[in-house]
Amino acid sequence: MVTTISTYDSTLFQGAAWYYARYRSKYPQALFDLLTDLFKLDGQGRLLDLGCGAGLVGIPFHNRFAEVVGLDPDAEMLKEAQEQAAAVGATNIRWVHDRAESISEELGKFQLVTMGRSFHWMERELVLSKLENLVIDGGGIAILKTNDNAWESDHLWKQTAIAVVKRWLGERRRTGKGGEGEWKPLAVPHEEVLKQSSFSRLETYEIKSPQHWTIDSYIGYIYSTAFGLPSFFGENREKFEADLRASLLEVEPSGEFTEELPITALVAWKEK
C-alpha cells in the first residue's frame, strides 16, 4: 500500500509564533500532575511532544522526564520554543524541525506522547500507526485541548470579538493557504480514530482553569490563531484593533474579562 502525505502548508501559522508563546492560554499545573499520576512518571522516561509549537506543553512538563523531544514543522515556532526553554533553564529538551507524519523509530522509545491543540492538523491514522512502535508498553498518548474557541463561545465578549474579526476578514473562518483556505470541522472525531488504532483504551479528563484576559492580551490571542494571523489584516490592522477595542469596551468598560476554561485531556493507552 502506498501512503501519500499531503504537503505541509507553511502559511498555517505564519507570523503567529511570537503571539502564540505569549498569549495562548497555558495548560494548568493540575493537568501535568494528572498525567504524572496516570503514567507513573518518575523523571526517568522520555516525552514526545508532537506539534509542539512554542513549547506550551514540553517546557512546563520537562522536569517529569529524563528527556523531552519537541517536534514541529514550523521553524518560527521552534525558534520561539528554544528561547522560552532557555529562559527557564529547561535544558533536557531536543527540538526537531519535522512533521509528525515523518516520525520514525530513529527518535527512540517514549513513555508518553502529547499533542496540544495539534492532532487535528495531522494525518491522524498515519501518525498513530507510526507511534505504535515508538511508545513503550504501558505508555500512551494524551491529546490536550484548552476549550477557548471563540467561534463557538457563549460569552458575549467573545461573540463580539468574532463579529469584529468577520467585519474585517469576512464571514468564513480562514485557515492556511495564505488566508485563502477555509476551516472545516473533523469528519471523524479523535475518539473514533483512536479506537481503530493500537491506542484504543480511552479516558477523557477535564480540569477547570481560570483565565484572565485584557483587550491587549486578547488581540494577541487572535494573532496567535490560524484564523486571525496578523498578515490577514494587512494595512487594516490598526483599524481592526481600534474597532475591536471599542467594541469590547462597549461590552465590558473595564476592558478585562475572566472565564473558566475547561481543559480536556483525551488519554489513550497502548494496548499490549
Side-chain angles (χ1 to χ4, degrees), residues 81-121:
Q82 286 179 291
E83 293 176 1
Q84 297 290 325
V88 297
T91 58
N92 66 331
I93 307 179
R94 178 160 65 97
W95 305 103
V96 178
H97 184 208
D98 204 350
R99 299 185 62 188
E101 291 83 356
S102 299
I103 57 175
S104 71
E105 294 182 59
E106 292 180 3
L107 288 173
K109 299 289 186 177
F110 297 91
Q111 189 172 4
L112 180 62
V113 178
T114 50
M115 289 171 268
R117 294 175 291 215
S118 62
F119 194 41
H120 57 285
W121 298 117

Coordinates of all heavy atoms in Angstrom, one line a residue, residues 81-121:
A81 N 10.2 28.5 20.8 CA 10.2 27.4 21.9 C 11.6 27.4 22.5 O 11.8 27.3 23.7 CB 9.8 26.1 21.3
Q82 N 12.6 27.4 21.7 CA 14.0 27.4 22.2 C 14.3 28.5 23.1 O 14.9 28.4 24.2 CB 15.0 27.4 21.0 CG 15.1 26.1 20.2 CD 16.0 26.1 19.1 OE1 15.8 26.8 18.1 NE2 17.1 25.4 19.1
E83 N 13.9 29.7 22.7 CA 14.1 30.9 23.5 C 13.3 30.8 24.9 O 13.9 31.1 25.9 CB 13.7 32.1 22.8 CG 14.5 32.4 21.6 CD 14.1 33.6 20.8 OE1 13.0 34.2 21.2 OE2 14.7 33.9 19.7
Q84 N 12.1 30.3 24.8 CA 11.3 30.2 26.0 C 11.9 29.1 27.0 O 11.9 29.3 28.2 CB 9.9 29.8 25.7 CG 9.1 30.8 24.9 CD 8.8 32.1 25.6 OE1 8.5 32.0 26.8 NE2 8.8 33.2 25.0
A85 N 12.4 28.0 26.4 CA 13.0 27.0 27.2 C 14.3 27.5 27.9 O 14.6 27.2 29.0 CB 13.3 25.7 26.3
A86 N 15.1 28.2 27.1 CA 16.4 28.7 27.7 C 16.1 29.7 28.8 O 16.8 29.7 29.8 CB 17.2 29.4 26.6
A87 N 15.0 30.4 28.7 CA 14.7 31.4 29.7 C 14.4 30.8 31.1 O 14.5 31.4 32.1 CB 13.5 32.3 29.3
V88 N 13.9 29.6 31.1 CA 13.6 28.9 32.3 C 14.5 27.8 32.7 O 14.3 27.0 33.6 CB 12.1 28.4 32.3 CG1 11.1 29.5 32.2 CG2 11.9 27.3 31.2
G89 N 15.6 27.6 31.9 CA 16.6 26.6 32.2 C 16.2 25.2 31.9 O 16.7 24.3 32.5
A90 N 15.3 25.0 30.9 CA 14.8 23.7 30.5 C 15.8 23.1 29.5 O 15.7 23.3 28.3 CB 13.4 23.7 29.9
T91 N 16.9 22.4 30.0 CA 18.0 22.0 29.1 C 17.9 20.6 28.6 O 18.7 20.2 27.8 CB 19.3 22.2 29.9 OG1 19.2 21.4 31.1 CG2 19.6 23.6 30.3
N92 N 16.8 19.9 29.0 CA 16.7 18.5 28.6 C 15.7 18.3 27.4 O 15.2 17.2 27.2 CB 16.3 17.6 29.8 CG 14.9 17.9 30.3 OD1 14.4 19.1 30.1 ND2 14.2 17.0 30.8
I93 N 15.5 19.4 26.7 CA 14.5 19.3 25.5 C 15.3 19.4 24.2 O 16.1 20.3 24.0 CB 13.5 20.5 25.6 CG1 12.8 20.5 27.0 CG2 12.5 20.3 24.5 CD1 11.8 21.6 27.1
R94 N 15.0 18.5 23.3 CA 15.6 18.5 22.0 C 14.5 18.9 21.0 O 13.4 18.3 21.0 CB 16.1 17.1 21.6 CG 16.7 17.0 20.2 CD 17.7 15.8 20.1 NE 17.0 14.5 20.3 CZ 16.6 13.8 19.3 NH1 16.8 14.2 18.0 NH2 16.0 12.6 19.5
W95 N 14.8 19.9 20.2 CA 13.8 20.4 19.3 C 14.0 19.9 17.9 O 15.2 20.0 17.4 CB 13.8 22.0 19.3 CG 13.6 22.5 20.7 CD1 14.6 23.1 21.5 CD2 12.4 22.6 21.4 NE1 14.0 23.5 22.7 CE2 12.7 23.2 22.7 CE3 11.1 22.2 21.1 CZ2 11.7 23.5 23.6 CZ3 10.1 22.5 22.1 CH2 10.4 23.1 23.3
V96 N 13.0 19.3 17.3 CA 13.2 18.7 16.0 C 12.2 19.4 15.0 O 11.0 19.5 15.2 CB 12.8 17.2 16.0 CG1 12.9 16.6 14.6 CG2 13.8 16.5 17.0
H97 N 12.8 19.9 13.9 CA 12.0 20.5 12.8 C 11.6 19.5 11.8 O 12.3 19.1 10.9 CB 12.9 21.6 12.1 CG 12.1 22.4 11.1 ND1 12.7 23.0 10.0 CD2 10.8 22.7 11.0 CE1 11.8 23.6 9.3 NE2 10.6 23.5 9.9
D98 N 10.3 19.0 12.0 CA 9.8 18.0 11.1 C 8.3 17.8 11.3 O 7.7 18.5 12.2 CB 10.5 16.6 11.5 CG 10.5 15.6 10.3 OD1 9.8 15.9 9.3 OD2 11.2 14.6 10.5
R99 N 7.7 17.1 10.4 CA 6.3 16.8 10.5 C 6.0 15.5 11.3 O 6.8 14.6 11.3 CB 5.7 16.6 9.1 CG 5.9 17.8 8.2 CD 5.2 17.5 6.9 NE 3.7 17.3 7.1 CZ 2.9 16.9 6.1 NH1 3.3 16.6 4.9 NH2 1.6 16.8 6.4
A100 N 4.9 15.5 12.0 CA 4.5 14.3 12.8 C 4.4 13.1 11.9 O 4.7 12.0 12.3 CB 3.2 14.6 13.5
E101 N 4.0 13.3 10.7 CA 3.8 12.2 9.7 C 5.1 11.5 9.3 O 5.2 10.4 8.8 CB 3.1 12.7 8.5 CG 1.7 13.1 8.7 CD 1.5 14.5 9.2 OE1 2.5 15.2 9.5 OE2 0.3 14.9 9.3
S102 N 6.2 12.2 9.6 CA 7.6 11.7 9.2 C 8.3 11.0 10.3 O 9.5 10.7 10.1 CB 8.4 12.9 8.6 OG 7.8 13.4 7.5
I103 N 7.7 10.9 11.5 CA 8.5 10.3 12.6 C 8.8 8.9 12.3 O 8.2 8.2 11.6 CB 7.6 10.4 13.9 CG1 6.3 9.7 13.8 CG2 7.5 11.8 14.4 CD1 5.5 9.6 15.1
S104 N 9.9 8.4 13.0 CA 10.4 7.1 12.8 C 11.0 6.6 14.1 O 11.2 7.3 15.0 CB 11.4 7.0 11.7 OG 12.7 7.6 12.1
E105 N 11.4 5.3 14.1 CA 12.0 4.7 15.3 C 13.4 5.3 15.6 O 13.9 5.0 16.7 CB 12.1 3.2 15.1 CG 10.7 2.6 15.1 CD 10.7 1.0 14.9 OE1 11.3 0.4 15.8 OE2 10.2 0.5 13.9
E106 N 13.9 6.1 14.7 CA 15.2 6.8 15.0 C 15.1 7.7 16.2 O 16.0 8.0 16.8 CB 15.7 7.6 13.8 CG 16.1 6.7 12.6 CD 16.5 7.5 11.4 OE1 16.6 8.7 11.5 OE2 16.9 6.9 10.4
L107 N 13.8 8.2 16.5 CA 13.6 9.1 17.6 C 13.8 8.3 19.0 O 13.9 9.0 20.0 CB 12.2 9.7 17.5 CG 12.0 10.8 16.5 CD1 10.6 11.2 16.4 CD2 12.9 12.0 16.8
G108 N 13.7 7.0 18.9 CA 13.8 6.2 20.2 C 12.4 5.9 20.7 O 11.4 6.1 20.1
K109 N 12.4 5.4 22.0 CA 11.1 5.0 22.6 C 10.7 6.1 23.6 O 11.5 6.8 24.2 CB 11.3 3.7 23.4 CG 11.8 2.5 22.5 CD 10.6 2.1 21.6 CE 11.0 0.8 20.8 NZ 9.9 0.3 20.0
F110 N 9.3 6.1 23.8 CA 8.8 7.2 24.6 C 7.7 6.6 25.6 O 7.0 5.7 25.2 CB 8.1 8.3 23.8 CG 9.1 9.0 22.9 CD1 9.3 8.6 21.6 CD2 9.8 10.1 23.4 CE1 10.2 9.2 20.8 CE2 10.7 10.8 22.6 CZ 10.9 10.3 21.3
Q111 N 7.7 7.1 26.8 CA 6.7 6.7 27.8 C 5.4 7.4 27.5 O 4.3 6.8 27.7 CB 7.2 7.1 29.2 CG 6.4 6.6 30.3 CD 7.1 6.8 31.7 OE1 8.1 7.5 31.7 NE2 6.5 6.3 32.7
L112 N 5.5 8.6 27.0 CA 4.2 9.4 26.7 C 4.4 10.3 25.5 O 5.5 10.8 25.3 CB 3.9 10.3 28.0 CG 2.7 11.2 27.9 CD1 1.4 10.4 27.8 CD2 2.6 12.1 29.1
V113 N 3.3 10.4 24.7 CA 3.3 11.3 23.6 C 2.2 12.3 23.8 O 1.0 11.9 24.1 CB 3.1 10.6 22.3 CG1 3.0 11.6 21.1 CG2 4.2 9.5 22.0
T114 N 2.5 13.6 23.8 CA 1.5 14.6 23.9 C 1.3 15.4 22.6 O 2.2 15.5 21.8 CB 1.9 15.6 25.0 OG1 3.2 16.1 24.8 CG2 1.8 15.0 26.4
M115 N 0.0 15.8 22.5 CA -0.3 16.6 21.3 C -1.3 17.7 21.8 O -2.4 17.4 22.2 CB -1.0 15.8 20.2 CG 0.0 14.9 19.5 SD -0.8 13.7 18.4 CE -1.0 12.3 19.5
G116 N -0.8 18.9 21.9 CA -1.6 20.0 22.5 C -2.1 20.9 21.3 O -1.4 21.6 20.7
R117 N -3.4 20.8 21.1 CA -4.1 21.6 20.1 C -3.4 21.4 18.7 O -3.3 22.3 17.9 CB -4.1 23.1 20.4 CG -4.9 23.4 21.7 CD -4.8 24.8 22.1 NE -3.5 25.2 22.6 CZ -3.3 26.0 23.6 NH1 -4.3 26.7 24.2 NH2 -2.1 26.3 24.0
S118 N -3.0 20.1 18.4 CA -2.3 19.9 17.2 C -2.7 18.6 16.4 O -2.5 18.6 15.2 CB -0.8 19.7 17.5 OG -0.5 18.6 18.3
F119 N -3.3 17.7 17.1 CA -3.7 16.4 16.4 C -4.6 16.6 15.2 O -4.5 15.9 14.2 CB -4.3 15.4 17.4 CG -4.4 14.0 17.0 CD1 -3.4 13.4 16.3 CD2 -5.5 13.2 17.3 CE1 -3.5 12.1 15.9 CE2 -5.6 11.9 16.9 CZ -4.6 11.3 16.2
H120 N -5.5 17.6 15.3 CA -6.5 17.8 14.3 C -5.8 18.3 13.0 O -6.4 18.3 11.9 CB -7.6 18.8 14.7 CG -7.0 20.1 15.2 ND1 -6.4 20.3 16.4 CD2 -7.0 21.4 14.6 CE1 -6.0 21.6 16.5 NE2 -6.4 22.2 15.5
W121 N -4.6 18.8 13.1 CA -3.9 19.3 11.9 C -3.2 18.1 11.2 O -2.6 18.3 10.1 CB -2.9 20.3 12.2 CG -3.4 21.6 12.8 CD1 -3.2 22.1 14.0 CD2 -4.3 22.6 12.2 NE1 -3.8 23.3 14.2 CE2 -4.5 23.6 13.1 CE3 -4.9 22.6 10.9 CZ2 -5.3 24.7 12.8 CZ3 -5.7 23.7 10.6 CH2 -5.9 24.7 11.6

